[in-house]
């Protein structure tokens, strides 16, 4: 990244006391994900976006074999000073989580 910006810098990895994050990508054929897609996402017109990720929840995915789905509100400017979140999408997200809990609480 540095070479593409023209910035002169030296970058190196430093040892950490905690492990580096483990990448994980959800299996699109997983029954849990399939059920979410069919019963929650599709009826609400939600288009899921799947990508490789490095996050704390990946420990559950990699070490315990539990599928991980991260749901968030609509917004933009992720991790920048211009980041924003749609308040309406926050309300929608709360309702979606309620539906997911009902679906898997039987």
């Amino acid at each position: 990244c540095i070479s593409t910006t023209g910035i002169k810098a030296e970058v190196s990895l430093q040892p950490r006391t905690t492990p580096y994050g483990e990448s994980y990508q959800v299996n699109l054929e997983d029954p849990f994900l399939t059920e979410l897609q069919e019963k929650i996402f599709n009826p609400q017109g939600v288009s899921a976006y799947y990508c490789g990720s490095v996050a704390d929840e990946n420990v559950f995915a990699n070490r315990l074999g539990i599928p991980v789905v991260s749901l968030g509100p609509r917004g933009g400017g992720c991790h920048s000073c211009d980041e924003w979140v749609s308040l309406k999408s926050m309300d929608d997200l709360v309702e979606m989580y309620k539906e997911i809990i009902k679906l898997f609480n039987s």
Side-chain angles (χ1 to χ4, degrees):
C1 289
I2 291 172
S3 64
T4 62
T5 64
I7 297 171
K8 293 183 181 183
E10 288 186 30
V11 178
S12 63
L13 294 176
Q14 300 297 317
R16 296 171 45 145
T17 55
T18 57
Y20 286 96
E22 302 172 23
S23 181
Y24 173 78
Q25 189 162 352
V26 68
N27 174 3
L28 299 179
E29 304 300 319
D30 186 272
F32 171 71
L33 179 61
T34 303
E35 190 166 2
L36 279 179
Q37 190 69 49
E38 291 173 359
K39 295 184 178 174
I40 304 290
F41 300 156
N42 288 347
Q44 294 190 32
V46 172
S47 297
Y49 171 72
Y50 302 100
C51 64
S53 172
V54 177
D56 293 340
E57 63 267 17
N58 293 357
V59 172
F60 297 111
N62 287 323
R63 296 188 188 172
L64 302 177
I66 299 170
V68 173
V69 176
S70 297
L71 303 174
R74 296 184 190 273
C78 188
H79 304 301
S80 76
C81 63
D82 296 319
E83 185 169 6
W84 62 274
V85 173
S86 160
L87 293 179
K88 165 82 168 86
S89 74
M90 289 289 290
D91 291 337
D92 295 343
L93 187 60
V94 167
E95 294 307 314
M96 186 177 291
Y97 273 113
K98 287 178 182 177
E99 288 184 41
I100 291 169
I101 290 167
K102 281 195 278 185
L103 178 64
F104 292 103
N105 193 29
S106 50

